[in-house]
Amino acid sequence: MPPTITAPILTIFADPPDRGQGFVRDMRVRWALEEVGQPYDVRLVPHAEMKQPPHLARHPFGQIPTYEVGDLALFESGAIVLHIAERHAGLLPTDAAARARAITWMFAALNTVEPPIGNLGMARILERDQPWFEARLPALENAVATRLAQMSQHLGHAEWLDGAFSAGDLLMVTVLRRLAASPLLAAHANLAAYVARGEARPAFIRAFAAQRAVFDAAPPKG
Ligand code: GTB
């Protein structure tokens, strides 16, 4: 009998808190899978089950996304995208030095650019009603503005960060697009255009529609 080939399984929020805007971190994995043409299944995790033993067995911090393929179970969106990129053509250059630089941009997106953007976003969601929120906001915005100015300077008129589109661009676009509605991003026309270029890729459009369908199917919160 031929071996059964099962598609990788991605865990996602059963009820996406961003209302299907593609800001949750499963989006970057979906996009990577679409870029390389790898079909996948999803397992919806309700909020009430995220910190329960079955999901903690997949993810020690009780978060999404996770990725299961065969006997391998992974967590951390960046590690999952790297795993996909290493096993399929299209997301990492074959030249060793260019590949190392693309992986460097993956780390830069997640370790250097995402933290200030995430801090600003979470403060806007969780701290808006605190008496010190308005006083804290300028420092949070300045941290984002500094990174964007540096990114804008580096990108210049280039289409992508380092030659052809890579997993570094994929992660950077998912990080920057959190600022889609922000004047902080609009202040840098080249960065806004970079994000728009990423979002115009057919694989992004397919991934966006797939994550959007989960929100459309979710029952409205009562
Ligand atoms: N470093 C990990 C990774 O990259 O995979 C971080 C994973 C993570 O933060 N997962 C979040 C999660 O599971 C979802 S993406 N949170 C539940 C919990 O911790 O209990 C973060 C996120 C949440 C909501 C929005 N939003 O509403 O726009 C955007 C992003």
Side-chain angles (χ1 to χ4, degrees):
M1 216 163 62
T4 312
I5 299 170
T6 53
I9 301 170
L10 181 65
T11 57
I12 61 170
F13 281 132
D15 186 0
D18 68 339
R19 305 171 67 84
Q21 296 177 81
F23 294 145
V24 181
R25 289 186 174 93
D26 60 280
M27 178 62 198
R28 52 190 62 165
V29 180
R30 289 176 180 277
W31 185 8
L33 289 165
E34 292 288 353
E35 287 284 348
V36 303
Q38 170 64 58
Y40 62 99
D41 293 325
V42 293
R43 181 187 291 119
L44 278 63
V45 185
H47 194 72
E49 293 176 17
M50 296 208 62
K51 305 293 190 265
Q52 297 301 315
H55 189 63
L56 285 172
R58 290 187 284 265
H59 195 306
F61 309 117
Q63 296 183 312
I64 61 98
T66 65
Y67 183 81
E68 293 151 75
V69 56
D71 293 337
L72 181 67
L74 297 175
F75 60 97
E76 284 297 332
S77 58
I80 298 167
V81 170
L82 179 58
H83 178 81
I84 295 164
E86 282 180 328
R87 276 153 189 82
H88 300 267
L91 284 174
L92 285 175
T94 48
D95 171 76
R99 194 177 181 94
R101 289 197 304 273
I103 293 171
T104 300
W105 277 115
M106 295 178 71
F107 278 82
L110 303 184
N111 287 355
T112 305
V113 181
E114 186 161 53
I117 293 174
N119 291 344
L120 177 62
M122 292 317 287
R124 285 192 191 285
I125 293 169
L126 301 176
E127 299 171 6
R128 182 169 287 281
D129 297 330
Q130 299 296 330
W132 34 260
F133 173 71
E134 290 298 334
R136 177 162 142 82
L137 198 52
L140 292 168
E141 289 179 340
N142 281 344
V144 172
T146 298
R147 282 291 173 266
L148 294 185
Q150 292 164 328
M151 282 300 304
S152 175
Q153 174 74 25
H154 174 84
L155 185 67
H157 298 296
E159 190 176 16
W160 305 114
L161 288 169
D162 188 352
F165 177 83
S166 78
D169 293 295
L170 185 151
L171 291 179
M172 191 64 80
V173 169
T174 60
V175 165
L176 293 178
R177 67 181 294 276
R178 283 290 298 276
L179 298 168
S182 167
L184 290 168
L185 183 67
H188 300 285
N190 65 337
L191 286 187
Y194 171 71
V195 171
R197 263 194 302 283
E199 292 176 334
R201 290 178 72 85
F204 179 96
I205 293 168
R206 288 193 298 274
F208 187 88
Q211 67 79 36
R212 175 78 213 167
V214 177
F215 173 72
D216 289 339
K221 282 185 177 155

mmCIF file of all heavy atoms in Angstrom, residues 13 16-19 21-26 28-29 47 50-51 55 59 61-66 75-80 110 114 122 125 178, ligand 1:
data_model
loop_
_atom_site.group_PDB
_atom_site.id
_atom_site.type_symbol
_atom_site.label_atom_id
_atom_site.label_comp_id
_atom_site.label_asym_id
_atom_site.label_seq_id
_atom_site.Cartn_x
_atom_site.Cartn_y
_atom_site.Cartn_z
ATOM 1 N N PHE A 13 -6.480 30.576 15.768
ATOM 2 C CA PHE A 13 -7.589 30.965 16.640
ATOM 3 C C PHE A 13 -8.910 30.530 15.996
ATOM 4 O O PHE A 13 -9.125 30.774 14.791
ATOM 5 C CB PHE A 13 -7.652 32.480 16.798
ATOM 6 C CG PHE A 13 -6.667 33.077 17.765
ATOM 7 C CD1 PHE A 13 -5.903 34.179 17.399
ATOM 8 C CD2 PHE A 13 -6.543 32.583 19.064
ATOM 9 C CE1 PHE A 13 -5.019 34.769 18.290
ATOM 10 C CE2 PHE A 13 -5.650 33.167 19.959
ATOM 11 C CZ PHE A 13 -4.890 34.260 19.580
ATOM 12 N N PRO A 16 -10.841 34.593 15.442
ATOM 13 C CA PRO A 16 -9.702 35.525 15.369
ATOM 14 C C PRO A 16 -10.026 36.893 15.981
ATOM 15 O O PRO A 16 -10.993 37.536 15.587
ATOM 16 C CB PRO A 16 -9.449 35.662 13.862
ATOM 17 C CG PRO A 16 -10.107 34.481 13.241
ATOM 18 C CD PRO A 16 -11.262 34.112 14.118
ATOM 19 N N PRO A 17 -9.201 37.328 16.973
ATOM 20 C CA PRO A 17 -9.496 38.594 17.655
ATOM 21 C C PRO A 17 -9.325 39.817 16.758
ATOM 22 O O PRO A 17 -9.832 40.884 17.067
ATOM 23 C CB PRO A 17 -8.490 38.611 18.818
ATOM 24 C CG PRO A 17 -7.389 37.719 18.380
ATOM 25 C CD PRO A 17 -7.999 36.674 17.504
ATOM 26 N N ASP A 18 -8.603 39.665 15.652
ATOM 27 C CA ASP A 18 -8.412 40.816 14.753
ATOM 28 C C ASP A 18 -9.535 40.890 13.712
ATOM 29 O O ASP A 18 -9.444 41.663 12.766
ATOM 30 C CB ASP A 18 -7.048 40.741 14.063
ATOM 31 C CG ASP A 18 -6.968 39.587 13.078
ATOM 32 O OD1 ASP A 18 -7.769 38.629 13.195
ATOM 33 O OD2 ASP A 18 -6.101 39.632 12.193
ATOM 34 N N ARG A 19 -10.547 40.068 13.884
ATOM 35 C CA ARG A 19 -11.706 40.058 12.990
ATOM 36 C C ARG A 19 -11.293 39.835 11.532
ATOM 37 O O ARG A 19 -11.808 40.456 10.604
ATOM 38 C CB ARG A 19 -12.506 41.357 13.142
ATOM 39 C CG ARG A 19 -12.906 41.617 14.597
ATOM 40 C CD ARG A 19 -13.493 43.004 14.789
ATOM 41 N NE ARG A 19 -14.778 43.150 14.109
ATOM 42 C CZ ARG A 19 -15.941 42.781 14.616
ATOM 43 N NH1 ARG A 19 -15.986 42.222 15.815
ATOM 44 N NH2 ARG A 19 -17.046 42.947 13.949
ATOM 45 N N GLN A 21 -8.364 40.374 9.916
ATOM 46 C CA GLN A 21 -7.515 41.318 9.181
ATOM 47 C C GLN A 21 -6.143 40.738 8.838
ATOM 48 O O GLN A 21 -5.312 41.410 8.228
ATOM 49 C CB GLN A 21 -7.330 42.598 10.004
ATOM 50 C CG GLN A 21 -8.621 43.363 10.225
ATOM 51 C CD GLN A 21 -8.383 44.572 11.105
ATOM 52 O OE1 GLN A 21 -7.922 45.617 10.648
ATOM 53 N NE2 GLN A 21 -8.655 44.446 12.389
ATOM 54 N N GLY A 22 -5.902 39.514 9.263
ATOM 55 C CA GLY A 22 -4.634 38.867 8.935
ATOM 56 C C GLY A 22 -3.473 39.364 9.767
ATOM 57 O O GLY A 22 -2.311 39.267 9.347
ATOM 58 N N PHE A 23 -3.743 39.888 10.975
ATOM 59 C CA PHE A 23 -2.665 40.374 11.842
ATOM 60 C C PHE A 23 -2.176 39.292 12.803
ATOM 61 O O PHE A 23 -1.152 39.462 13.454
ATOM 62 C CB PHE A 23 -3.122 41.590 12.653
ATOM 63 C CG PHE A 23 -3.410 42.800 11.811
ATOM 64 C CD1 PHE A 23 -4.434 43.671 12.139
ATOM 65 C CD2 PHE A 23 -2.652 43.087 10.681
ATOM 66 C CE1 PHE A 23 -4.699 44.794 11.361
ATOM 67 C CE2 PHE A 23 -2.907 44.196 9.893
ATOM 68 C CZ PHE A 23 -3.934 45.055 10.234
ATOM 69 N N VAL A 24 -2.917 38.200 12.920
ATOM 70 C CA VAL A 24 -2.520 37.127 13.829
ATOM 71 C C VAL A 24 -1.395 36.329 13.157
ATOM 72 O O VAL A 24 -1.303 36.259 11.927
ATOM 73 C CB VAL A 24 -3.745 36.256 14.184
ATOM 74 C CG1 VAL A 24 -3.360 35.148 15.147
ATOM 75 C CG2 VAL A 24 -4.849 37.125 14.808
ATOM 76 N N ARG A 25 -0.540 35.715 13.988
ATOM 77 C CA ARG A 25 0.714 35.182 13.450
ATOM 78 C C ARG A 25 0.568 33.898 12.638
ATOM 79 O O ARG A 25 1.557 33.413 12.084
ATOM 80 C CB ARG A 25 1.728 35.012 14.587
ATOM 81 C CG ARG A 25 2.243 36.356 15.102
ATOM 82 C CD ARG A 25 3.343 36.157 16.123
ATOM 83 N NE ARG A 25 3.949 37.412 16.541
ATOM 84 C CZ ARG A 25 3.567 38.130 17.598
ATOM 85 N NH1 ARG A 25 2.565 37.725 18.349
ATOM 86 N NH2 ARG A 25 4.188 39.252 17.903
ATOM 87 N N ASP A 26 -0.629 33.339 12.543
ATOM 88 C CA ASP A 26 -0.773 32.226 11.600
ATOM 89 C C ASP A 26 -0.675 32.721 10.161
ATOM 90 O O ASP A 26 -0.339 31.958 9.249
ATOM 91 C CB ASP A 26 -2.105 31.477 11.793
ATOM 92 C CG ASP A 26 -3.319 32.362 11.590
ATOM 93 O OD1 ASP A 26 -3.667 33.112 12.508
ATOM 94 O OD2 ASP A 26 -3.900 32.313 10.483
ATOM 95 N N ARG A 28 1.479 34.595 8.630
ATOM 96 C CA ARG A 28 2.807 34.510 7.996
ATOM 97 C C ARG A 28 3.106 33.064 7.581
ATOM 98 O O ARG A 28 3.766 32.836 6.569
ATOM 99 C CB ARG A 28 3.892 35.076 8.935
ATOM 100 C CG ARG A 28 3.873 34.501 10.316
ATOM 101 C CD ARG A 28 4.775 35.214 11.320
ATOM 102 N NE ARG A 28 4.420 36.604 11.553
ATOM 103 C CZ ARG A 28 4.859 37.330 12.578
ATOM 104 N NH1 ARG A 28 5.695 36.812 13.473
ATOM 105 N NH2 ARG A 28 4.502 38.573 12.728
ATOM 106 N N VAL A 29 2.608 32.115 8.367
ATOM 107 C CA VAL A 29 2.823 30.703 8.008
ATOM 108 C C VAL A 29 1.965 30.343 6.802
ATOM 109 O O VAL A 29 2.427 29.675 5.863
ATOM 110 C CB VAL A 29 2.507 29.791 9.215
ATOM 111 C CG1 VAL A 29 2.727 28.334 8.826
ATOM 112 C CG2 VAL A 29 3.357 30.171 10.416
ATOM 113 N N HIS A 47 -10.505 29.873 22.331
ATOM 114 C CA HIS A 47 -9.738 30.582 23.366
ATOM 115 C C HIS A 47 -9.694 29.771 24.666
ATOM 116 O O HIS A 47 -8.654 29.686 25.311
ATOM 117 C CB HIS A 47 -10.348 31.964 23.607
ATOM 118 C CG HIS A 47 -9.438 32.854 24.391
ATOM 119 N ND1 HIS A 47 -8.284 33.401 23.860
ATOM 120 C CD2 HIS A 47 -9.481 33.261 25.673
ATOM 121 C CE1 HIS A 47 -7.671 34.113 24.781
ATOM 122 N NE2 HIS A 47 -8.376 34.047 25.900
ATOM 123 N N MET A 50 -6.839 27.177 24.843
ATOM 124 C CA MET A 50 -5.437 27.502 24.512
ATOM 125 C C MET A 50 -4.460 27.101 25.605
ATOM 126 O O MET A 50 -3.329 26.731 25.326
ATOM 127 C CB MET A 50 -5.298 28.993 24.208
ATOM 128 C CG MET A 50 -6.092 29.365 22.989
ATOM 129 S SD MET A 50 -5.457 30.750 22.076
ATOM 130 C CE MET A 50 -3.881 30.206 21.561
ATOM 131 N N LYS A 51 -4.890 27.184 26.866
ATOM 132 C CA LYS A 51 -3.976 26.870 27.979
ATOM 133 C C LYS A 51 -4.315 25.515 28.600
ATOM 134 O O LYS A 51 -3.930 25.233 29.721
ATOM 135 C CB LYS A 51 -4.045 27.979 29.044
ATOM 136 C CG LYS A 51 -3.770 29.392 28.521
ATOM 137 C CD LYS A 51 -2.318 29.581 28.058
ATOM 138 C CE LYS A 51 -1.978 31.040 27.755
ATOM 139 N NZ LYS A 51 -2.102 31.439 26.364
ATOM 140 N N HIS A 55 -3.450 21.452 24.033
ATOM 141 C CA HIS A 55 -2.752 22.464 23.229
ATOM 142 C C HIS A 55 -1.375 22.792 23.822
ATOM 143 O O HIS A 55 -0.428 23.047 23.068
ATOM 144 C CB HIS A 55 -3.595 23.741 23.080
ATOM 145 C CG HIS A 55 -3.002 24.691 22.079
ATOM 146 N ND1 HIS A 55 -2.854 24.361 20.734
ATOM 147 C CD2 HIS A 55 -2.435 25.922 22.211
ATOM 148 C CE1 HIS A 55 -2.245 25.355 20.097
ATOM 149 N NE2 HIS A 55 -1.982 26.307 20.972
ATOM 150 N N HIS A 59 2.244 23.478 22.244
ATOM 151 C CA HIS A 59 2.868 24.794 22.399
ATOM 152 C C HIS A 59 3.064 25.075 23.883
ATOM 153 O O HIS A 59 2.090 25.267 24.611
ATOM 154 C CB HIS A 59 1.960 25.862 21.764
ATOM 155 C CG HIS A 59 2.637 27.175 21.531
ATOM 156 N ND1 HIS A 59 3.300 27.869 22.531
ATOM 157 C CD2 HIS A 59 2.766 27.931 20.408
ATOM 158 C CE1 HIS A 59 3.805 28.986 22.027
ATOM 159 N NE2 HIS A 59 3.502 29.046 20.742
ATOM 160 N N PHE A 61 3.726 27.553 25.556
ATOM 161 C CA PHE A 61 3.191 28.818 26.075
ATOM 162 C C PHE A 61 1.689 28.952 25.796
ATOM 163 O O PHE A 61 1.096 30.001 26.063
ATOM 164 C CB PHE A 61 3.960 30.004 25.473
ATOM 165 C CG PHE A 61 5.458 29.852 25.616
ATOM 166 C CD1 PHE A 61 6.278 29.754 24.504
ATOM 167 C CD2 PHE A 61 6.042 29.764 26.876
ATOM 168 C CE1 PHE A 61 7.651 29.583 24.632
ATOM 169 C CE2 PHE A 61 7.415 29.590 27.012
ATOM 170 C CZ PHE A 61 8.225 29.502 25.892
ATOM 171 N N GLY A 62 1.105 27.914 25.222
ATOM 172 C CA GLY A 62 -0.338 27.936 24.977
ATOM 173 C C GLY A 62 -0.745 29.003 23.982
ATOM 174 O O GLY A 62 -1.745 29.695 24.178
ATOM 175 N N GLN A 63 0.005 29.120 22.905
ATOM 176 C CA GLN A 63 -0.283 30.138 21.888
ATOM 177 C C GLN A 63 -0.495 29.472 20.528
ATOM 178 O O GLN A 63 -0.291 28.274 20.358
ATOM 179 C CB GLN A 63 0.862 31.147 21.812
ATOM 180 C CG GLN A 63 1.046 31.944 23.102
ATOM 181 C CD GLN A 63 2.127 32.982 22.971
ATOM 182 O OE1 GLN A 63 3.217 32.704 22.490
ATOM 183 N NE2 GLN A 63 1.845 34.190 23.422
ATOM 184 N N ILE A 64 -0.845 30.289 19.579
ATOM 185 C CA ILE A 64 -0.844 29.858 18.176
ATOM 186 C C ILE A 64 0.117 30.784 17.439
ATOM 187 O O ILE A 64 0.398 31.888 17.926
ATOM 188 C CB ILE A 64 -2.274 29.894 17.554
ATOM 189 C CG1 ILE A 64 -2.868 31.305 17.571
ATOM 190 C CG2 ILE A 64 -3.183 28.953 18.282
ATOM 191 C CD1 ILE A 64 -2.731 32.030 16.319
ATOM 192 N N PRO A 65 0.692 30.383 16.295
ATOM 193 C CA PRO A 65 0.421 29.144 15.599
ATOM 194 C C PRO A 65 1.324 27.998 16.068
ATOM 195 O O PRO A 65 2.382 28.226 16.644
ATOM 196 C CB PRO A 65 0.776 29.501 14.148
ATOM 197 C CG PRO A 65 1.910 30.483 14.282
ATOM 198 C CD PRO A 65 1.607 31.261 15.531
ATOM 199 N N THR A 66 0.864 26.766 15.805
ATOM 200 C CA THR A 66 1.752 25.605 15.840
ATOM 201 C C THR A 66 1.647 24.936 14.470
ATOM 202 O O THR A 66 0.733 25.233 13.691
ATOM 203 C CB THR A 66 1.360 24.595 16.935
ATOM 204 O OG1 THR A 66 0.077 24.040 16.615
ATOM 205 C CG2 THR A 66 1.328 25.240 18.306
ATOM 206 N N PHE A 75 6.520 25.120 17.136
ATOM 207 C CA PHE A 75 5.852 26.364 17.493
ATOM 208 C C PHE A 75 6.840 27.479 17.175
ATOM 209 O O PHE A 75 7.955 27.212 16.744
ATOM 210 C CB PHE A 75 5.419 26.367 18.971
ATOM 211 C CG PHE A 75 6.557 26.208 19.950
ATOM 212 C CD1 PHE A 75 7.125 27.313 20.551
ATOM 213 C CD2 PHE A 75 7.063 24.948 20.246
ATOM 214 C CE1 PHE A 75 8.183 27.176 21.456
ATOM 215 C CE2 PHE A 75 8.115 24.803 21.148
ATOM 216 C CZ PHE A 75 8.673 25.915 21.746
ATOM 217 N N GLU A 76 6.427 28.726 17.364
ATOM 218 C CA GLU A 76 7.158 29.945 16.975
ATOM 219 C C GLU A 76 7.022 30.156 15.462
ATOM 220 O O GLU A 76 7.607 29.406 14.648
ATOM 221 C CB GLU A 76 8.630 29.926 17.380
ATOM 222 C CG GLU A 76 8.867 30.178 18.861
ATOM 223 C CD GLU A 76 8.420 31.566 19.329
ATOM 224 O OE1 GLU A 76 8.419 32.521 18.508
ATOM 225 O OE2 GLU A 76 8.049 31.700 20.506
ATOM 226 N N SER A 77 6.329 31.212 15.125
ATOM 227 C CA SER A 77 6.025 31.453 13.713
ATOM 228 C C SER A 77 7.291 31.581 12.858
ATOM 229 O O SER A 77 7.333 31.092 11.728
ATOM 230 C CB SER A 77 5.152 32.706 13.577
ATOM 231 O OG SER A 77 5.793 33.836 14.133
ATOM 232 N N GLY A 78 8.341 32.225 13.405
ATOM 233 C CA GLY A 78 9.561 32.394 12.621
ATOM 234 C C GLY A 78 10.243 31.061 12.352
ATOM 235 O O GLY A 78 10.734 30.807 11.243
ATOM 236 N N ALA A 79 10.266 30.188 13.368
ATOM 237 C CA ALA A 79 10.879 28.869 13.196
ATOM 238 C C ALA A 79 10.085 28.042 12.180
ATOM 239 O O ALA A 79 10.661 27.284 11.390
ATOM 240 C CB ALA A 79 10.942 28.145 14.544
ATOM 241 N N ILE A 80 8.771 28.217 12.206
ATOM 242 C CA ILE A 80 7.928 27.454 11.261
ATOM 243 C C ILE A 80 8.181 27.938 9.830
ATOM 244 O O ILE A 80 8.356 27.133 8.907
ATOM 245 C CB ILE A 80 6.437 27.600 11.648
ATOM 246 C CG1 ILE A 80 6.171 27.022 13.049
ATOM 247 C CG2 ILE A 80 5.558 26.919 10.610
ATOM 248 C CD1 ILE A 80 4.813 27.382 13.639
ATOM 249 N N LEU A 110 11.660 39.822 13.273
ATOM 250 C CA LEU A 110 11.014 39.334 14.495
ATOM 251 C C LEU A 110 11.643 39.882 15.772
ATOM 252 O O LEU A 110 10.944 40.089 16.765
ATOM 253 C CB LEU A 110 11.044 37.801 14.522
ATOM 254 C CG LEU A 110 10.394 37.117 13.313
ATOM 255 C CD1 LEU A 110 10.385 35.617 13.494
ATOM 256 C CD2 LEU A 110 8.976 37.635 13.090
ATOM 257 N N GLU A 114 9.657 43.897 15.020
ATOM 258 C CA GLU A 114 8.332 43.545 15.576
ATOM 259 C C GLU A 114 8.136 44.005 17.033
ATOM 260 O O GLU A 114 7.034 44.462 17.370
ATOM 261 C CB GLU A 114 8.086 42.035 15.460
ATOM 262 C CG GLU A 114 6.667 41.655 15.887
ATOM 263 C CD GLU A 114 6.236 40.286 15.363
ATOM 264 O OE1 GLU A 114 6.972 39.320 15.581
ATOM 265 O OE2 GLU A 114 5.157 40.210 14.748
ATOM 266 N N MET A 122 -0.114 46.580 21.535
ATOM 267 C CA MET A 122 -0.697 46.024 22.760
ATOM 268 C C MET A 122 -1.066 47.136 23.731
ATOM 269 O O MET A 122 -2.099 47.055 24.413
ATOM 270 C CB MET A 122 0.279 45.040 23.431
ATOM 271 C CG MET A 122 0.505 43.766 22.637
ATOM 272 S SD MET A 122 -0.990 43.038 21.942
ATOM 273 C CE MET A 122 -1.754 42.368 23.383
ATOM 274 N N ILE A 125 -4.329 48.538 22.779
ATOM 275 C CA ILE A 125 -5.462 47.641 23.069
ATOM 276 C C ILE A 125 -5.698 47.541 24.581
ATOM 277 O O ILE A 125 -6.829 47.669 25.055
ATOM 278 C CB ILE A 125 -5.198 46.236 22.486
ATOM 279 C CG1 ILE A 125 -5.176 46.288 20.944
ATOM 280 C CG2 ILE A 125 -6.258 45.231 22.945
ATOM 281 C CD1 ILE A 125 -4.671 45.010 20.279
ATOM 282 N N ARG A 178 1.070 45.570 10.320
ATOM 283 C CA ARG A 178 0.320 45.895 11.541
ATOM 284 C C ARG A 178 0.091 47.397 11.632
ATOM 285 O O ARG A 178 -0.820 47.859 12.319
ATOM 286 C CB ARG A 178 1.090 45.424 12.789
ATOM 287 C CG ARG A 178 1.039 43.956 13.072
ATOM 288 C CD ARG A 178 -0.311 43.456 13.533
ATOM 289 N NE ARG A 178 -0.797 44.026 14.784
ATOM 290 C CZ ARG A 178 -0.471 43.601 15.990
ATOM 291 N NH1 ARG A 178 0.370 42.595 16.126
ATOM 292 N NH2 ARG A 178 -0.985 44.151 17.073
HETATM 293 N N1 GTB B 1 6.671 34.427 19.312
HETATM 294 C C1 GTB B 1 5.456 33.702 19.027
HETATM 295 C C2 GTB B 1 5.367 33.407 17.528
HETATM 296 O O1 GTB B 1 5.937 34.171 16.745
HETATM 297 O O2 GTB B 1 4.748 32.394 17.159
HETATM 298 C C3 GTB B 1 4.266 34.559 19.498
HETATM 299 C C4 GTB B 1 2.951 33.832 19.314
HETATM 300 C C5 GTB B 1 1.796 34.715 19.742
HETATM 301 O O3 GTB B 1 1.964 35.832 20.255
HETATM 302 N N2 GTB B 1 0.585 34.200 19.516
HETATM 303 C C6 GTB B 1 -0.595 34.923 19.893
HETATM 304 C C7 GTB B 1 -1.410 34.074 20.861
HETATM 305 O O4 GTB B 1 -1.516 32.894 20.703
HETATM 306 C C8 GTB B 1 -1.440 35.176 18.627
HETATM 307 S S1 GTB B 1 -0.578 36.247 17.498
HETATM 308 N N3 GTB B 1 -2.001 34.739 21.856
HETATM 309 C C9 GTB B 1 -2.839 34.077 22.831
HETATM 310 C C10 GTB B 1 -2.179 33.946 24.157
HETATM 311 O O5 GTB B 1 -0.999 34.295 24.309
HETATM 312 O O6 GTB B 1 -2.885 33.485 25.079
HETATM 313 C C11 GTB B 1 -0.598 37.812 18.427
HETATM 314 C C12 GTB B 1 -1.780 38.652 18.007
HETATM 315 C C13 GTB B 1 -2.935 38.598 18.733
HETATM 316 C C14 GTB B 1 -4.019 39.422 18.353
HETATM 317 C C15 GTB B 1 -3.871 40.282 17.288
HETATM 318 N N4 GTB B 1 -4.947 41.133 16.901
HETATM 319 O O7 GTB B 1 -6.039 41.074 17.502
HETATM 320 O O8 GTB B 1 -4.777 41.951 15.968
HETATM 321 C C16 GTB B 1 -2.701 40.311 16.557
HETATM 322 C C17 GTB B 1 -1.634 39.497 16.935
#
